[in-house]
Amino acid sequence: MQTQSPPPGSRRRSALLWLLLPYVLFLLVLPAVNRVTPTVLGLPFLFFWMLLAILLTPVSVWLARRGDLRRGHGRDGGGATGGCP
């Protein structure tokens, strides 16, 4: 006997919370790190923070995609969503 899974839109997609990371890094935390005096790797702290945020953005998108695929979303070949093959 095969059980039916709920429609994809009705399940919680907590992996998509990873997509909030770039928003938090660039917009919410930026006023708190807007300083020049401490230097990290020879860069002012603000520049280092922006470099770190830029490098962490693709990682967070990859984690969200991996979590989505693990839960079974996006495996229909792209049909209605227009995804890449």
Side-chain angles (χ1 to χ4, degrees):
M1 189 79 143
Q2 186 179 24
T3 61
Q4 289 184 341
S5 63
S10 68
R11 290 191 280 184
R12 290 191 61 199
R13 295 169 76 175
S14 59
L16 296 181
L17 290 176
W18 283 108
L19 297 177
L20 290 176
L21 182 67
Y23 177 78
V24 169
L25 288 176
F26 280 109
L27 296 178
L28 297 181
V29 182
L30 195 59
V33 298
N34 189 10
R35 55 193 70 186
V36 178
T37 50
T39 58
V40 180
L41 300 175
L43 296 171
F45 189 69
L46 179 63
F47 288 173
F48 174 75
W49 184 264
M50 295 302 289
L51 178 65
L52 184 70
I54 288 170
L55 294 176
L56 287 178
T57 296
V59 173
S60 67
V61 171
W62 175 75
L63 286 170
R65 184 183 190 299
R66 186 180 75 148
D68 239 12
L69 289 177
R70 189 172 281 174
R71 288 194 46 95
H73 297 279
R75 291 189 180 173
D76 60 352
T81 61
C84 296

